[in-house]
Amino acid sequence: MNVDIGNALSSVASPGVSRESLERLDEQVATAHERIETGMANEEHGYEALNLPERTDPDEIRTAVDPVIDAEALLTIGIGGSSLGAATITNALESDTETVFLDNVDPEWVSSHLERLPLAETAINVVSRSGTTAETLANFLVVREAFESAGVDWTERTIVTTGDSGPLRDLAERHGLPSLLVPDGVPGRFSALSAVGMVAAAVCGHDLEALLAGAAAERETLSGSLFDCPAYAYGATTYALDQRGAGINAIMPYAESLETSAEWFAQLWAESLGKDDLGQTPVRALGVTDQHSQLQLYRAGPRDKLVTFVTTEESADRPIPTTDVEDLAYLGDATLGELRTAEFEATEASLAATGRPNVRVELEHIDEYELGGLLYGMEAACVLAGELYGVNTFEQPAVEWAKKATRGLLGGGDFAEAAAVAEKTELRVER
Ligand SMILES: O=P(O)(O)OC[C@H]1O[C@H](O)[C@H](O)[C@@H](O)[C@@H]1O
């Protein structure tokens, strides 16, 4: 990926960063880079994720999915880091295999998929790093039962990706299911380039080697200066903007197929950096659609935001038919792609004209190689930002609290602390 931070510089943006302040920040970037390289070399928790381009074995993943490679549909059951990386990849690329991601535990929605899908031709991809996540295990139990009710042997159609111990690992062993390991030292939101994200890609027939090659090329750019490394340029600039008041980062890909990448990014940014009263709030948007719903705020609301555009060159395009309606003549001879590009450029310029910082992340096109680069680049940017904030990028204790409370509510553990808070804060207004 390439990164253009020109519209974040203080000569054009407020809040903005000056080139001089970025040069000063570059000393911290060099120190952070050394820390990151040490963490990678020592295979430390979290930093190990940046070694995935060399560690992930595409053959192992292809062997595991081989029994279901002809599936018409793939049902991935996982949540957060165990779903969004895979969804980012498969939603961005075309495939004959239909992909469905069961992350939410919405009974109507889950049932609607189970009633609609051809279960005998559907593969199940269960993913949970911990192997204990309530939503994932509950959805899996429901799916299993639906397969059994339809007379389909789910054990013939299921692949499990999880840690080396835990309930999901036990279940995989008990039923002799093909299983893959979530690599040690790789937190879920950094695991897209492992089996966690790539099983779905393999079933859909995507080029795993190209995904890893794109990531490896991004890894090659990591260096001690933000001026030489797109990922660090992004991480350092977003951090510097936050220090100057841009506490919100609206990420806005300009391609329908990249919409999920904004969801993936939101988890990466929120869970990694949101701690110790620090962090930057990610907001998901989609170009051009959200120009017509959020741009007003971005251009004229509080100066507490930056907008991250993710752009790509056109691949397939479609001409806009000419018409004899005079007011529409300007569309004649244009294509949908040209219209989208014009809308993007106009939006970028409209933010710049009112001094609203924005950053452009550019992909050459949407394919495995570029996606691998985007996933790796944003992860490296996030690790760098975490070093600059001085937070522990790789933990998420605040989420664990709610997980325990959920278990407690279902009678699966100690809920006393959460119950006491819920009791104290209850304030109902009834009709
Ligand atoms: O992969 P799992 O262990 O099932 O975890 C799934 C998700 O659970 C939690 O919500 C964590 O905060 C996320 O970081 C994680 O991605």
Side-chain angles (χ1 to χ4, degrees), residues 78-83 127-136 182 187-189 196 267 271 396 399-400 403:
I79 196 163
S82 286
S83 152
V127 192
S128 172
R129 181 178 196 279
S130 62
T132 60
T133 301
E135 293 88 340
T136 302
V182 180
R189 58 188 173 277
V196 173
Q267 183 193 1
E271 277 197 344
Q396 60 284 332
V399 187
E400 302 303 336
K403 273 187 160 182

Side-chain angles (χ1 to χ4, degrees), residues 149-229:
S149 302
V152 181
D153 183 356
W154 60 271
T155 63
E156 296 284 311
R157 312 205 58 76
T158 301
I159 303 148
V160 169
T161 303
T162 187
D164 57 10
S165 64
L168 189 55
R169 171 66 51 198
D170 294 346
L171 196 145
E173 283 169 7
R174 190 166 323 137
H175 294 280
L177 307 176
S179 67
L180 291 157
L181 203 57
V182 180
D184 260 1
V186 178
R189 58 188 173 277
F190 289 90
S191 65
L193 294 163
S194 73
V196 173
M198 292 174 74
V199 164
V203 175
C204 291
H206 301 313
D207 185 342
L208 306 188
E209 275 79 3
L211 271 162
L212 294 172
E218 212 62 47
R219 192 261 177 274
E220 286 303 303
T221 69
L222 300 189
S223 67
S225 171
L226 72 95
F227 298 102
D228 297 327
C229 169

Side-chain angles (χ1 to χ4, degrees), residues 265-312:
F265 174 86
Q267 183 193 1
L268 181 74
W269 222 243
E271 277 197 344
S272 303
L273 306 176
K275 44 201 66 152
D276 306 337
D277 296 334
L278 298 169
Q280 189 175 50
T281 304
V283 172
R284 295 155 9 197
L286 179 68
V288 303
T289 309
D290 288 320
Q291 287 174 206
H292 300 275
S293 65
Q294 297 175 23
L295 185 59
Q296 172 66 34
L297 176 75
Y298 297 165
R299 189 170 197 261
R303 290 180 181 271
D304 56 359
K305 293 169 212 60
L306 84 114
V307 177
T308 299
F309 296 113
V310 182
T311 66
T312 169

